[in-house]
Amino acid sequence: MAKRWMKSFFTKAMQRQVGALTRNALRAGKKASQLATKVPTRKRKRKSAVPATNHWRTGIAASPGGLRRYHLFHPTGKLPSSRIPLVVMLHGCGQDARSFATSTHMNRLAASAGFMVLYPEQDRVANVQGCWNWFDTRSGRALREATSILSVVDHICATYPVDARRVVVAGMSAGASMAALIALHHPERFLAVAMHSGIGPGMAESTATALTAMRGRIPKSATSLHAPATPLPALLVIQGNRDTVVAPSNGALAAQRWAATVGAKAVAPRTVQRGTRYAVTLYEWKVGRRAFATLAEVAGLGHAWSGGAATQAFSDPAGPDASRMVWAFAQREHTLRGAARTMQAG
């Protein structure tokens, strides 16, 4: 009885710590948003982050683990004559599908580039903070949630004309960690995976080890990544060097561990900057000429979507556009895979 009580006490204490971290980040995000909106700017007509109803659809998909809500953005509101790419977006703690869409501007990019965006949504009953339980691998809950998300992807691919060779999964914070976990266990389903301010798979098995990883320390229970039978998809990691929620060292660690599964080698980093936006240092791990893992370390960025909406928490408009970075990374990987198939055929 005493052991059961102590276990319950410890679990609740860990959950309170995770909740506190989330609330602190949320307050910091709101403060940053308020400061950003005070900067004088030329008045312009505000664009709706979530366009007309016929572009934004809500549904529920069934899986062995239960039902999963989702929202889908379609670039035209009509079924195209040919198959188009799909970007799966997983929100972070303190967010939902709609706020994440608003924060990232991914729908606006999809409307101009011509791809669909899927937003699976976490149930608050499963996690009171709205976090994906990416860390709970010991109990199996993490993989059950991953399976339910994949069931949503299957549902959309069966219902809409999706190009199965151009499905990308991306996420922010807890969503980033879940995106990498899904791609690790189902590599054949994805062209590329993008992690923004998250922790790589194998780094946690419980709430306690997740907190250890978030602080930049490697838990004793951390496991190495083993290359599956199907090669892993290319990985893009976007990480701010002023992140106080997920220690910045997690970005490099996630990329290095992913690269090690295929023996990719690090190349000399380079720094780029566009206008007055934060500078980005790019680190790449390559197999031949192909960048199998890429880390984009953003100078001055905290725990926020880079280049996101100023009105949202966990969003920093001063950074480079992370949504465009994700899409450009996926486009490059699609081109490289196409070239490889051509060479094999020849």
Side-chain angles (χ1 to χ4, degrees):
M1 185 72 178
K3 288 183 178 180
R4 187 184 305 167
W5 182 86
M6 287 297 294
K7 183 178 180 181
S8 175
F9 176 81
F10 180 74
T11 300
K12 290 180 179 178
M14 290 299 101
Q15 290 175 339
R16 284 196 295 271
Q17 290 186 52
V18 173
L21 284 170
T22 301
R23 289 191 294 273
N24 289 339
L26 183 59
R27 285 194 290 268
K30 287 182 177 178
K31 183 177 180 182
S33 298
Q34 291 168 356
L35 290 174
T37 55
K38 290 180 180 179
V39 178
T41 56
R42 186 174 62 185
K43 292 185 178 180
R44 64 180 67 180
K45 185 177 180 181
R46 184 180 295 275
K47 294 183 178 180
S48 174
V50 179
T53 306
N54 63 331
H55 295 259
W56 183 254
R57 303 170 186 181
T58 302
I60 297 176
S63 76
L67 302 177
R68 176 69 61 194
R69 291 194 311 272
Y70 69 85
H71 296 265
L72 178 71
F73 174 79
H74 200 290
T76 63
K78 300 178 181 179
L79 294 179
S81 57
S82 59
R83 297 189 175 276
I84 62 175
L86 174 69
V87 175
V88 183
M89 294 284 283
L90 301 179
H91 62 76
C93 300
Q95 297 177 315
D96 56 19
R98 186 171 290 273
S99 64
F100 194 41
T102 301
S103 173
T104 62
H105 299 307
M106 188 62 84
N107 292 353
R108 186 183 303 174
L109 177 59
S112 61
F115 59 88
M116 286 185 284
V117 192
L118 173 63
Y119 299 89
E121 192 168 75
Q122 175 65 306
D123 196 315
R124 292 297 173 122
V125 173
N127 188 293
V128 70
Q129 302 294 337
C131 310
W132 299 101
N133 294 298
W134 59 272
F135 52 86
D136 200 359
T137 57
R138 182 189 297 169
S139 72
R141 181 165 58 164
L143 291 180
R144 287 194 296 272
E145 287 191 2
T147 299
S148 73
I149 293 170
L150 194 63
S151 293
V152 178
V153 177
D154 289 338
H155 171 69
I156 296 302
C157 289
T159 308
Y160 297 91
V162 174
D163 186 345
R165 296 188 302 181
R166 303 181 70 183
V167 178
V168 180
V169 61
M172 167 72 188
S173 192
S177 300
M178 182 56 78
L181 185 69
I182 296 171
L184 176 68
H185 288 274
H186 302 277
E188 72 285 354
R189 299 297 307 277
F190 300 101
L191 170 67
V193 55
M195 297 177 57
H196 196 314
S197 309
I199 297 169
M203 292 297 294
E205 62 172 9
S206 63
T207 304
T209 52
L211 288 169
T212 299
M214 288 169 67
R215 291 166 181 155
R217 300 194 298 271
I218 300 177
K220 292 181 180 179
S221 61
T223 58
S224 58
L225 301 184
H226 298 287
T230 302
L232 293 175
L235 171 69
L236 170 65
V237 179
I238 302 173
Q239 177 65 53
N241 70 353
R242 292 189 180 179
D243 194 331
T244 58
V245 177
V246 173
S249 59
N250 279 292
L253 185 60
Q256 290 167 356
R257 284 161 57 85
W258 201 267
T261 63
V262 294
K265 303 298 182 182
V267 299
R270 65 186 189 279
T271 301
V272 296
Q273 185 172 16
R274 294 182 182 277
T276 59
R277 291 197 167 191
Y278 299 145
V280 180
T281 301
L282 295 171
Y283 302 85
E284 293 180 320
W285 288 260
K286 291 188 174 184
V287 177
R289 299 179 62 182
R290 178 196 177 205
F292 182 72
T294 300
L295 166 64
E297 188 177 74
V298 185
L301 181 69
H303 195 68
W305 188 269
S306 185
T311 57
Q312 296 293 310
F314 307 115
S315 187
D316 189 343
D321 192 333
S323 293
R324 290 189 179 277
M325 291 168 67
V326 171
W327 179 239
F329 183 78
Q331 288 288 84
R332 184 180 67 178
E333 182 64 13
H334 176 65
T335 300
L336 289 173
R337 285 196 183 188
R341 286 193 295 269
T342 300
M343 290 181 64
Q344 291 174 356

